[in-house]
Amino acid sequence: MRFNLLTLFPEFFESPLSCALMGKAREQGVVDFNLVNPRDFAFNKHRSVDDRPYGGGPGMVMALDPLAHALRSLENPGRILLMSPRGRPLTQALARELAAAPAVTILCGRYEGIDERLLDLFPVELVSAGDFVLSGGESAAMCLVEAVARLVPGFMGKEESGEEESFSAGLLEYPQYTRPEVYEGLGVPDVLLGGDHARVAALRREQSLGQTLARRPDLLGEAPLTGPDRRFLAQKPRTLLGRALYVALVHGPVLNKKGHTVTVSLTNLDLHDIARISRTYGLAGFFAVTPLEDQQALARTLLDHWTLGAGGRANPDRAEALGKVRVAATLEEAVSQAREHAGQDPWVLATSARPDGGVTPGAVRETLRERPVLLALGTGSGLAPEALALTHGQLAPVRPFGAYNHLPVRAAFAILADRILGDIF
Ligand SMILES: C[S@@+](CC[C@H](N)C(=O)[O-])C[C@H]1O[C@@H](n2cnc3c(N)ncnc32)[C@H](O)[C@@H]1O
């Protein structure tokens, strides 16, 4: 495979392209590198490759002409990649895709970047090494070269060593150990010493799942998991974060459309659906809050029917979900019941369609590791100031940038629950 590297600093690549497996693969002709310096194609008086940015601002910009000439000089450019923080993230999937190509050309930016019109002149694909800014594209290009080259057939001694690695099966790799068996009192898992290949494979699979859950739970959504994998993950404490999350559906005090503080009627639909969502996401509890005694009685009648009565007997799954619902007269009472249940003060967060809230689902997820959280959902036109006064912050709304933002409360809750807990199962 051919790599054309366009760089103002070809010397940067001398050592990494000559040592270890890369040097060997190069000698064997598995990969070859064509280093091209755009400065050699700068035909202006001072052979300069950069200029000041139009519109002002700090730094310099790489000019088009030397790059265009350098690119046009290539016999076999293949896919043209520009290393850039604005690019598609460099992943194992992209590395695999590129390793199947006979050639790639990698442009290494310097200064403040490259004149944007290069993207109009050539079919350039932007690739990022990560969400950080480097001084130049060379080290990013080197990451790409290394990730791609080692997948080219003949690069690695044992072909299968690429198949067991992190990301290959959508998961992070299991931990590795080597001699000595005990070091400073630390041993290695017994199974690895026993020679039973099936048990070793099972342990490694579990370790791989555990590592991914602990470090990169976002990968699990796309990983091809088996039934036993799912059952293993379901037992892990990290998947049980919902156990510290409470939700309160407040029917009063809330605002009506005119901005008056009122109490609205509870609905059968909200009770059922929020209870089922809460059960599905493993929440610790759901409080139906209404200060009206007749509404509290109505809620209890409904709940009794679906838990202890005929509804519950006919539909035990529904009974299980509705068994989580508690009726409270005020948000304050719901908070105090959550405190008693969790043995700790919950972080009480308002939810609203208004774009004032800044608490992110990620922040809630992090907090749940340490402390219970209670989400207060408002019915009507949202929580009244008296209810808001009991909250410690506000969760960011579901559609902060949309002009029309009128989700049913149970739909909003389902989305919020999934954003907070969904990506960890
Ligand atoms: C100082 S950076 C320019 C950063 C640019 N002004 C910006 O804010 O996006 C110079 C060059 O380094 C390379 N570079 C910097 N960070 C990178 C990253 N995360 N991934 C890939 N290339 C990167 C790019 O080639 C870029 O043109």
Side-chain angles (χ1 to χ4, degrees):
M1 177 173 182
R2 159 151 287 210
F3 292 87
N4 299 300
L5 291 161
L6 263 70
T7 169
L8 293 172
F9 300 97
E11 65 275 21
F12 178 96
F13 292 96
E14 270 164 27
S15 148
L17 295 185
S18 324
C19 65
L21 282 178
M22 189 70 80
K24 225 162 149 197
R26 203 175 172 184
E27 274 167 25
Q28 291 167 351
V30 176
V31 287
D32 88 289
F33 297 96
N34 175 29
L35 287 151
V36 180
N37 191 339
R39 206 174 284 284
D40 296 338
F41 297 86
F43 303 121
N44 53 60
K45 204 164 110 200
H46 300 291
R47 302 198 70 192
S48 70
V49 289
D50 59 336
D51 213 331
R52 286 192 302 276
Y54 280 124
M60 302 293 273
V61 175
M62 286 178 79
L64 283 174
D65 199 53
L67 289 169
H69 277 100
L71 278 172
R72 287 185 184 129
S73 76
L74 298 173
E75 258 171 48
N76 179 16
R79 280 170 75 169
I80 305 175
L81 313 173
L82 166 62
M83 302 316 295
S84 163
R86 287 188 287 156
R88 170 182 170 186
L90 172 56
T91 60
Q92 192 67 12
L94 176 58
R96 230 177 273 132
E97 201 182 300
L98 294 172
V104 291
T105 292
I106 308 173
L107 279 113
C108 305
R110 277 274 155 178
Y111 319 122
E112 285 311 311
I114 288 177
D115 188 318
E116 191 75 8
R117 289 168 293 179
L118 192 81
L119 309 189
D120 300 321
L121 293 172
F122 298 91
V124 178
E125 301 170 61
L126 271 55
V127 179
S128 168
D131 291 343
F132 42 78
V133 177
L134 301 161
S135 298
E138 284 76 9
S139 44
M142 201 49 234
C143 288
L144 188 147
V145 166
E146 188 135 342
V148 173
R150 63 199 298 284
L151 299 177
V152 174
F155 186 97
M156 280 190 269
K158 272 173 94 189
E159 294 296 336
E160 66 272 19
S161 52
E163 272 152 37
E164 289 222 351
E165 289 174 326
S166 292
F167 310 112
S168 304
L171 298 172
L172 300 183
E173 199 192 39
Y174 48 81
Q176 305 268 14
Y177 304 88
T178 185
R179 285 191 294 183
E181 209 174 297
V182 180
Y183 184 76
E184 295 192 1
L186 298 171
V188 302
D190 289 341
V191 174
L192 300 181
L193 308 172
D196 179 334
H197 296 305
R199 287 187 67 204
V200 169
L203 174 77
R204 286 182 167 165
R205 182 74 185 172
E206 288 187 355
Q207 286 180 325
S208 194
L209 291 164
Q211 291 280 323
T212 312
L213 182 64
R215 296 172 200 277
R216 292 290 307 279
D218 54 302
L219 296 175
L220 289 172
E222 298 295 323
L225 300 176
T226 63
D229 289 344
R230 287 176 197 283
R231 281 192 287 282
F232 172 77
L233 287 166
Q235 305 308 316
K236 294 295 218 185
R238 168 117 195 199
T239 21
L240 303 177
L241 279 182
R243 280 188 180 170
L245 185 62
Y246 296 83
V247 59
L249 179 67
V250 180
H251 298 85
V254 291
L255 298 177
N256 67 8
K257 282 202 163 43
K258 292 183 184 147
H260 300 148
T261 297
V262 295
T263 295
V264 300
S265 301
L266 56 83
T267 74
N268 202 356
L269 277 176
D270 282 342
L271 284 194
H272 276 251
D273 290 357
I274 294 178
R276 292 167 70 181
I277 297 161
S278 300
R279 181 65 197 93
T280 302
Y281 283 86
L283 260 69
F286 164 27
F287 301 100
V289 177
T290 174
L292 302 178
E293 282 177 15
D294 66 327
Q295 291 282 299
Q296 293 168 13
L298 177 63
R300 290 202 178 95
T301 306
L302 276 171
L303 294 172
D304 282 352
H305 171 76
W306 286 103
T307 51
L308 310 170
R313 286 193 293 281
N315 191 340
D317 290 342
R318 193 66 61 88
E320 190 179 332
L322 286 160
K324 287 260 166 211
V325 188
R326 298 285 170 268
V327 180
T330 60
L331 178 58
E332 213 161 7
E333 188 186 322
V335 172
S336 105
Q337 283 193 39
R339 180 185 304 119
E340 211 169 289
H341 184 253
Q344 211 181 345
D345 264 333
W347 191 31
V348 184
L349 292 177
T351 57
S352 168
R354 284 184 282 278
D356 322 319
V359 177
T360 62
V364 177
R365 189 162 50 243
E366 286 312 309
T367 304
L368 285 170
R369 293 181 213 296
E370 320 261 304
R371 177 183 177 188
V373 176
L374 185 142
L375 298 183
L377 307 173
T379 55
S381 292
L383 297 169
E386 300 92 303
L388 283 174
L390 296 173
T391 63
H392 307 127
Q394 189 172 309
L395 200 61
V398 168
R399 298 282 300 162
F401 312 122
Y404 186 98
N405 199 353
H406 298 285
L407 285 169
V409 68
R410 55 190 187 281
F413 172 58
I415 296 166
L416 292 173
D418 192 70
R419 286 188 184 169
I420 294 167
L421 302 165
D423 61 342
I424 46 164
F425 253 72

